Amino acid sequence: MSEQLDERPAPPPAGEPAGAAIPSVGMVGAGQLARMTCPAAAGLAIGFRVLAAAADDSAAKVWPDVRLGDYRSLADLRGFAAGCDVVTFDHEHVPGPHLAALEEAGVVIRPGADALRYTQDKLAMRERLTALGVACPRYAPVRDLGDIERFAEQRGWPVVLKAVSGGYDGKGVWVCASPAEAAEVAGLDLRLLAEEYVSFDRELAALVARSPHRQGAAYPVVQTVQRDGICREVLAPAPGLAADRAEAAQSLALRIAAELDVTGLLAVELFDTPGGLLVNELAMRPHNCGHWTIEGAVTSQFEQHLRAVLDLPLGAPGPLAPQVVMANLLGGTDPDVYDRYIHVMAADPGVKVHLYGKAVRRGRKIGHVTVLGDDVAELRDRARRAASFLRWGTEDGD
C-alpha cells in the first residue's frame, strides 16, 4: 500500500481563489528529471505531484507534494493518479500492462501507453521505425551465441548487443569484438537485440515537443559527447552542423513524434554518418540532451514538457546565446561536493551548477554545469574545469 509524505491537498498558488480550476500533473518517478521539473511547475502555477520510491529521492527532497509508492504496483499508481489531470513520467520503467490498465480506467497518460511501448521495447522501436522508412542501424533479434555469430557473419565484428528492455546510461549495451565477448552477454538470460557497429562522425540529438492539439516545437540540434556509454557533454547547437542536416534532424524528430502519437517531449538520439542520419535511441520525457535549456533557451525543456502534456500553447525553443555547453558531473571519490562550491563560484561566476541531491558514487550522474557564450572551445574548457573540480578537487581531472 502506498504511503505519502503529506496527505493534505496542496494550497492554491498565492493570489488564486480557493476552488480555482488549477490543472495538476503527476510525474511518476522522483529522480533528477522530476527535480528539475519542479521549478517549472512552480513557475506555471500548476499543481505538481511526484511518485517517489523513498523520501530521500532527488525530487522528494525539494517538493512538498510527494507520494511514496512503487511504480511497479498498479494499486500505488492508481492511488497516485487520483486527483491528477495528467500523469507523465521521468523514466520508462512502468510496466506496460499497468499503463494500459490506467488508461482503461480513464487516467490521462501523456505520452500514452501505445507511444511509450517504443521506448520500453527496443525491438518494437526498431521494427516500427523501419516500417516507417526511418533509417536505423541494421539489426536482428538474437536468442543465443549462434544467432549473434550468424549476424556477425553478415555485418562483421564488432557487434553491438542491447537489452531489449531496461537499459539506460550505457547499461544494457555491449560492444562485442569477438564471439568470446558476445558469449558473456548471451549468458545473461536477457532478451537481446544485435545491431551493426556504426562508424559515425559524431552523435547528435534532436529534442522536440508535441501537444495533443498537434502543435510542435523543435529545439536546436545538439551534439552529444559520449564516453564509456555515458553522455559527458552537450554542445548546443551542434558546432558546424550544416543547416540542411539540422533541419533534416528536426523534421525527422517531429515526424517520429507525430507517427508514434507522442505527447510531451521526444528526444531522438542520432548517429551523424557520411551517408546520412541514423536513429539510435528514443526517449519520451525530459532528457539529458536538453538540460542546457534551463539557462540556455527561452523555454526550458521541463516547462515545455509540462506545457505539452497539459495541452497548453508551447513555448519558444530558441537559444539565448550563440553557444551553450553543458557538462555532466559524475561522482568521484570524495562525497563532499558542496565543499568545493566556493572555488567553482569564485573561479568562474558565469558557470551555472545544478546538483541533484544524490548520494555520491563514482561514475554516477550527480549534477551538471552549464556555460553560455560565443566560443565553443572556450566554453567546453570552462565547463570541463568546473565539473572536474567539483568531482575531484582539481581542474585537471577527467
Side-chain angles (χ1 to χ4, degrees):
M1 187 171 181
S2 64
E3 305 172 64
Q4 57 189 48
L5 298 185
D6 188 347
E7 296 186 358
R8 296 170 298 174
E16 291 284 351
I22 301 169
S24 180
V25 175
M27 180 168 274
V28 176
Q32 64 260 30
L33 299 180
R35 182 186 179 106
M36 288 182 278
T37 306
C38 292
L44 290 171
I46 63 169
F48 186 65
R49 174 186 302 171
V50 296
L51 180 66
D56 62 353
D57 282 356
S58 182
K61 291 181 175 181
V62 298
W63 196 249
D65 194 355
V66 176
R67 311 299 167 96
L68 297 183
D70 188 340
Y71 67 84
R72 297 163 296 188
S73 163
L74 181 56
D76 286 0
L77 291 168
R78 289 186 193 276
F80 173 75
C84 294
D85 295 289
V86 177
V87 172
T88 190
F89 310 90
D90 91 334
H91 60 71
E92 293 94 0
H93 307 310
V94 178
H98 290 0
L99 297 173
L102 290 173
E103 287 187 327
E104 187 176 346
V107 176
V108 178
I109 294 174
R110 290 179 179 155
D114 288 344
L116 283 167
R117 175 172 175 246
Y118 299 111
T119 66
Q120 296 179 324
D121 186 318
K122 288 182 170 59
L123 178 58
M125 181 264 288
R126 282 283 179 256
E127 292 173 339
R128 179 74 170 121
L129 293 181
T130 300
L132 292 171
V134 174
C136 300
R138 288 170 289 192
Y139 69 94
V142 290
R143 294 184 302 273
D144 52 33
L145 180 59
D147 286 345
I148 298 170
E149 290 182 315
R150 281 185 286 275
F151 182 83
E153 287 175 5
Q154 296 178 336
R155 306 301 177 198
W157 296 96
V159 169
V160 179
L161 296 178
K162 293 184 177 181
V164 169
S165 61
Y168 66 97
D169 272 356
K171 299 176 176 65
V173 178
W174 301 267
V175 179
C176 300
S178 67
E181 292 181 7
E184 293 184 21
V185 181
L188 295 177
D189 193 27
L190 296 170
R191 287 181 65 211
L192 293 173
L193 180 70
E195 291 185 355
E196 66 175 331
Y197 183 83
V198 175
S199 296
F200 53 83
D201 295 328
R202 56 179 167 176
E203 294 184 74
L204 304 173
L207 181 67
V208 299
R210 182 174 178 270
S211 73
H213 268 100
R214 299 182 179 86
Q215 184 186 10
Y219 287 94
V221 177
V222 303
Q223 178 180 347
T224 62
V225 179
Q226 315 282 330
R227 199 175 309 153
D228 299 324
I230 298 176
C231 178
R232 299 297 295 270
E233 294 177 284
V234 174
L235 317 179
L241 184 64
D244 59 346
R245 185 63 63 98
E247 290 171 6
Q250 291 173 318
S251 296
L252 176 62
L254 287 168
R255 180 191 166 210
I256 292 171
E259 294 282 5
L260 302 188
D261 196 23
V262 176
T263 50
L265 288 177
L266 172 68
V268 180
E269 298 178 36
L270 300 156
F271 294 135
D272 186 13
T273 78
L277 298 171
L278 299 179
V279 172
N280 182 28
E281 299 286 355
L282 303 178
M284 299 176 190
R285 50 167 171 77
H287 191 264
N288 197 189
C289 74
H291 290 354
W292 67 273
T293 64
I294 297 175
E295 288 87 20
V298 176
T299 307
S300 80
Q301 67 163 343
F302 303 99
E303 179 182 340
Q304 196 79 290
H305 186 69
L306 292 173
R307 286 183 179 226
V309 300
L310 286 172
D311 209 9
L312 298 171
L314 299 181
L320 294 174
Q323 192 72 53
V324 185
V325 172
M326 186 280 297
N328 279 316
L329 170 61
L330 306 184
T333 53
D334 181 1
D336 195 2
V337 178
Y338 287 94
D339 188 53
R340 295 186 285 281
Y341 248 178
I342 295 175
H343 173 88
V344 170
M345 291 178 175
D348 192 342
V351 170
K352 296 294 185 179
V353 180
H354 296 262
L355 295 183
Y356 305 152
K358 299 166 76 170
V360 175
R361 294 200 299 266
R362 186 162 182 164
R364 183 189 199 187
K365 285 183 186 174
I366 59 171
H368 71 267
V369 300
T370 306
V371 288
L372 288 71
D374 300 297
D375 185 320
V376 66
E378 178 196 6
L379 296 178
R380 292 184 73 178
D381 182 62
R382 289 169 60 194
R384 182 201 62 77
R385 286 189 285 111
S388 174
F389 196 88
L390 288 167
R391 185 181 189 189
W392 302 116
T394 171
E395 295 184 354
D396 299 323
D398 187 10

